[in-house]
């Protein structure tokens, strides 16, 4: 089960630097000219979870494996991308592959780093990008409606939904802000409609502004009061990469930052994608597995291996809290805290599972 977050924005807003930090290594070229990222860089990013470290300590696991999200650094978009300007066609093709949009807005001043629009204005930048995405979605849906070859394959419901979406988009309404039934939302996603995807904004600040923000961040918050906006300094976070864990913590404290900004970005993405984590724990490893909320025990087992789902018999389950309170699986078993659950059980966030199967 894969979930991909796409990192988008205008050229030179810090997307590739942010991507480098997310992957904890410099795999994306971060250069001061437009289109330095042409093909999308992709990487699996660990989502830190303090519970796993505690489980490993209690059980004496030799290794910890955190759950992951796939992050994609997508080439910068410019005005006219919906008509193929710049790398528009490639950009739109790549962004249609993701499940969540992380929109990076430049909120720092730097004369040495050019801006494709000539001035720093994060609100205008976001409006430009989102206008291009709206125009691209209108074109996509209109082509589908007008394509003669598909006419016999369309249902009245699909045509009605496409026309409704076009009408909303034509009024400048971003589709993710509209309440759709799940089946309609899924159909739009399957069609490749970009504006139906959930999104949040990342305000990329200069190092000196990360504590108190600046006018650019204030304007962004004023323009989008109901949106999630996460202030980070990609450059500052990047400078911490070569430090050990203790030194990094000291630096965060020096800047009065409670949490690694990129960890918060990932946790936000995890939450917006309606994901949660269950654990498997043993002497070899303590591991987190990513599932969607409301997943059944067989579906959760299938994330480990399809055979686990196909031949599912039952699952031995204990909550994280009970596991810690009992100081491990042995005492938990003695106290009767480990439950046997069947195919209809809905796995909860933090469950520790041991699956029984037969194929």
């Amino acid at each position: 089960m894969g979930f991909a977050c796409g990192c988008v924005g205008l050229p030179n807003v810090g997307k590739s630097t942010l991507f480098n930090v997310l992957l904890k290594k410099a795999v994306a070229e971060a250069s001061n000219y437009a289109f330095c990222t042409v093909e999308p860089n992709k990487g699996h990013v660990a989502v830190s979870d303090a519970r796993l470290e505690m489980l490993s300590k209690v059980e004496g696991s030799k290794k910890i494996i955190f759950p992951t999200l796939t992050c994609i650094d997508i080439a910068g978009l410019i005005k006219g991308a919906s008509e193929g300007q710049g790398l528009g066609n490639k950009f739109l093709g790549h962004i249609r592959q993701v499940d969540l949009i992380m929109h990076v807005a430049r909120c720092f001043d730097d004369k040495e780093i050019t801006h494709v629009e000539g001035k720093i204005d994060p609100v205008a930048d976001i409006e430009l990008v989102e206008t291009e995405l709206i125009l691209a979605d209108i074109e996509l849906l209109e082509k589908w409606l007008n394509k003669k070859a598909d006419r016999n394959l369309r249902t009245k419901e699909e045509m009605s939904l496409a026309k409704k979406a076009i009408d909303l988009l034509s009024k400048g309404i971003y589709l993710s802000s509209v309440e759709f039934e799940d089946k309609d939302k899924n159909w739009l996603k399957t069609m490749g409609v970009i504006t139906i995807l959930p999104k949040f904004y990342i305000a990329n600040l200069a190092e000196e502004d990360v504590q108190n923000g600046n006018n650019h961040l204030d304007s962004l918050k004023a323009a989008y009061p109901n949106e999630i906006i996460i202030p980070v300094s990609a450059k500052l976070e990047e400078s911490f990469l070569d430090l050990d864990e203790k030194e990094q913590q000291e630096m965060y404290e020096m800047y009065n930052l409670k949490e690694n900004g990129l960890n918060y970005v990932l946790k936000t993405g995890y939450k917006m994608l309606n994901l949660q984590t269950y654990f498997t724990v043993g002497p070899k490893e303590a591991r987190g597995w990513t599932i969607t909320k409301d997943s059944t025990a067989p579906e959760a087992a299938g994330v480990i291996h399809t055979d686990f789902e196909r031949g599912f018999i039952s699952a031995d389950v204990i909550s994280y809290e009970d596991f810690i309170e009992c100081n491990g699986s042995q005492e938990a078993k003695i106290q009767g805290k480990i439950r046997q659950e069947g195919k209809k059980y809905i796995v909860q966030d933090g469950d520790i599972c041991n699956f029984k199967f037969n194929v």
Side-chain angles (χ1 to χ4, degrees):
M1 183 183 296
F3 298 94
C5 302
C7 194
V8 307
L10 292 177
N12 296 341
V13 298
K15 298 188 315 302
S16 295
T17 302
L18 184 76
F19 181 80
N20 292 343
V21 182
L22 283 171
L23 265 64
K24 299 294 191 293
K25 55 183 178 180
V27 297
E29 180 187 7
S31 302
N32 180 27
Y33 58 92
F35 314 132
C36 66
T37 305
V38 179
E39 293 302 327
N41 295 294
K42 181 185 292 188
H44 299 292
V45 184
V47 182
S48 64
D49 192 322
R51 295 175 298 179
L52 263 176
E53 297 177 5
M54 183 63 72
L55 290 173
S56 173
K57 184 177 180 180
V58 169
E59 199 70 5
S61 307
K62 293 180 180 179
K63 184 166 60 173
I64 297 175
I65 302 178
F66 291 104
T68 62
L69 284 177
T70 299
C71 285
I72 302 175
D73 173 30
I74 299 172
L77 178 146
I78 64 169
K79 189 174 183 179
S82 59
E83 299 173 351
Q85 295 296 316
L87 296 170
N89 292 331
K90 282 193 173 186
F91 176 98
L92 296 171
H94 294 149
I95 198 173
R96 288 189 173 111
Q97 301 171 22
V98 307
D99 304 292
L100 170 73
I101 294 173
M102 301 187 299
H103 193 151
V104 183
R106 177 171 170 176
C107 292
F108 64 88
D109 296 301
D110 190 329
K111 294 180 181 179
E112 299 299 317
I113 300 179
T114 59
H115 190 288
V116 291
E117 292 296 307
K119 63 176 182 178
I120 310 302
D121 186 343
V123 175
D125 291 354
I126 287 175
E127 289 176 351
L128 188 157
V129 171
E130 294 190 345
T131 297
E132 292 299 326
L133 299 184
I134 285 172
L135 292 172
D137 281 350
I138 292 174
E139 181 183 15
L140 176 79
L141 292 169
E142 286 182 340
K143 279 186 176 179
W144 179 80
L145 282 171
N146 296 325
K147 194 173 181 181
K148 293 180 180 179
D150 290 344
R151 283 183 179 172
N152 294 331
L153 301 176
R154 304 178 197 133
T155 66
K156 289 183 179 179
E157 290 79 9
E158 289 171 347
M159 293 181 67
S160 176
L161 177 58
K163 290 175 182 177
K164 176 184 176 182
I166 290 171
D167 181 59
L168 290 166
L169 291 165
S170 297
K171 295 175 182 176
I173 298 172
Y174 209 84
L175 294 185
S176 64
S177 66
V178 180
E179 288 290 333
F180 286 97
E181 292 185 23
D182 286 344
K183 63 180 180 63
D184 292 341
K185 187 181 293 186
N186 291 334
W187 183 82
L188 289 167
K189 286 180 180 178
T190 302
M191 283 292 293
V193 173
I194 299 169
T195 57
I196 196 65
L197 299 174
K199 70 180 187 318
F200 65 92
Y201 301 120
I202 301 172
N204 189 16
L205 298 161
E207 299 173 56
E208 62 270 18
D209 293 326
V210 72
Q211 293 184 57
N212 301 314
N214 58 22
N215 292 336
H216 299 311
L217 178 60
D218 292 341
S219 67
L220 204 57
K221 289 180 176 179
Y224 299 99
N226 299 319
E227 299 283 358
I228 296 173
I229 301 172
I230 302 176
V232 300
S233 173
K235 188 175 181 181
L236 180 66
E237 301 271 358
E238 187 179 43
S239 70
F240 295 166
L241 286 180
D242 293 331
L243 304 178
D244 61 34
E245 188 174 341
K246 182 180 178 181
E247 290 173 326
Q248 285 188 21
Q249 186 58 42
E250 290 173 351
M251 292 301 292
Y252 283 119
E253 290 175 1
M254 187 178 81
Y255 280 90
N256 197 29
L257 300 174
K258 295 180 180 179
E259 183 179 19
N260 180 321
L262 279 304
N263 282 345
Y264 187 62
V265 166
L266 292 172
K267 289 176 182 178
T268 300
Y270 213 70
K271 183 178 180 180
M272 291 191 73
L273 285 171
N274 202 34
L275 304 179
Q276 63 183 27
T277 305
Y278 79 86
F279 305 113
T280 54
V281 186
K284 290 185 178 180
E285 67 180 34
R287 181 164 185 165
W289 301 89
T290 301
I291 57 173
T292 55
K293 290 181 180 178
D294 299 324
S295 292
T296 63
E299 289 170 338
V303 174
I304 299 177
H305 198 287
T306 53
D307 284 349
F308 283 28
E309 181 174 6
R310 185 161 56 92
F312 179 89
I313 298 172
S314 65
D316 291 336
V317 181
I318 179 175
S319 70
Y320 170 80
E321 291 77 15
D322 285 344
F323 187 93
I324 297 301
E325 186 177 334
C326 294
N327 199 35
S329 56
Q330 290 186 350
E331 183 62 26
K333 189 173 182 179
I334 293 171
Q335 293 189 27
K337 296 290 187 179
I338 300 177
R339 316 180 309 274
Q340 187 174 87
E341 302 288 358
K343 292 183 178 181
K344 294 183 179 181
Y345 176 68
I346 302 300
V347 177
Q348 303 299 303
D349 184 59
D351 276 353
I352 298 158
C353 301
N354 181 33
F355 299 108
K356 298 176 183 177
F357 70 102
N358 183 34
V359 292

